[in-house]
Amino acid sequence: MKLKATIAVALGLLASATVQAETKTAVFGGGCFWCVEADFDKVPGVMKTISGYAGGQYKDPDYQVVSAGRTDHTEAVEVTYDDTKVSYSQLVEFFWKTIDPTAKDRQFCDAGKQYRSGLYYLNDEQKKVATASKEKLQASGKFKTIHTEVAPVVKFYPAEEYHQDYYTKNPVRYGYYRNGCGRDQRLKELWGPKATR
């Protein structure tokens, strides 16, 4: 009887010590959302990514109006992650290596404000982390000017279904686009040979 009680206590302690997954979300804009989604899906701890539009006031945007530059939104990706496996701060540091922070209102071959890069915060803590990270990168002297914005999400609008997981649904087209756009080549120039995955 004592043995059973001891085992029960031990199991109870073990259960209480187990860290529960804490699901959180973050939003990043890095040009073409197909590419941003593909990059973040490879991060351990990331549970889901959704391509969409953020950083603007225009209501109910769709791909037609955003891609034409007729709204104040930018293409962005909402990242759902397990905070016990990867932190927001780590995601921000990862994000920098996937974009060209020196480009204003464009990313790689995509030009226009709708392709600007940004750290879009959902709360004061994310704003603090994102701002500090940008300031640290600026202070490092690696780049003369950083055009990546730190701004509120305002509201995130998921993109049309055919944009979701585009890189897995259309791998050949996606590969041609990414290579033709020079994304990985530019990332190597900016961040070194290990920048691309």
Side-chain angles (χ1 to χ4, degrees):
M1 204 64 169
K2 285 184 178 180
L3 181 60
K4 286 183 179 179
T6 303
I7 292 173
V9 170
L11 289 174
L13 290 172
L14 184 62
S16 64
T18 302
V19 178
Q20 295 297 314
E22 187 172 351
T23 302
K24 294 187 177 181
T25 57
V27 178
F28 302 94
C32 169
F33 45 30
W34 299 341
C35 298
V36 177
E37 193 176 358
D39 288 341
F40 274 98
D41 275 345
K42 296 171 185 172
V43 178
V46 168
M47 303 164 72
K48 183 173 73 171
T49 54
I50 299 175
S51 289
Y53 316 108
Q57 301 286 342
Y58 186 95
K59 291 184 179 180
D60 300 319
D62 59 30
Y63 185 70
Q64 186 175 2
V65 294
V66 174
S67 63
R70 299 204 303 266
T71 77
D72 49 355
H73 283 83
T74 186
E75 288 194 11
V77 171
E78 181 182 74
V79 177
T80 300
Y81 62 100
D82 180 349
D83 193 41
T84 66
K85 295 181 179 177
V86 63
S87 67
Y88 177 69
S89 179
Q90 289 172 316
L91 290 175
V92 169
E93 294 309 308
F94 173 82
F95 166 74
W96 289 119
K97 307 298 190 303
T98 69
I99 65 160
D100 179 354
T102 69
K104 181 175 175 60
D105 291 339
R106 71 175 301 128
Q107 281 294 292
F108 313 102
C109 67
D110 294 313
K113 195 172 182 182
Q114 67 272 32
Y115 295 108
R116 69 190 184 274
S117 62
L119 293 156
Y120 298 101
Y121 57 83
L122 293 161
N123 52 51
D124 289 341
E125 180 59 28
Q126 286 189 355
K127 179 181 180 181
K128 180 180 176 183
V129 171
T131 301
S133 180
K134 180 179 176 179
E135 289 174 350
K136 180 181 177 183
L137 183 59
Q138 186 73 70
S140 74
K142 184 173 180 64
F143 305 117
K144 182 178 180 181
T145 305
I146 295 175
H147 291 289
T148 303
E149 66 180 359
V150 175
V153 171
V154 183
K155 181 176 180 180
F156 180 82
Y157 292 90
E160 295 78 354
E161 183 56 34
Y162 70 91
H163 286 299
Q164 308 304 331
D165 302 312
Y166 187 88
Y167 73 101
T168 61
K169 295 174 183 174
N170 303 280
V172 175
R173 283 185 179 180
Y174 171 74
Y176 278 129
Y177 165 76
R178 183 161 184 142
N179 291 332
C181 205
R183 190 178 187 107
D184 294 322
Q185 181 180 344
R186 178 60 176 154
L187 290 176
K188 286 180 181 179
E189 293 172 2
L190 292 166
W191 303 103
K194 293 183 180 180
T196 56
R197 285 149 299 284

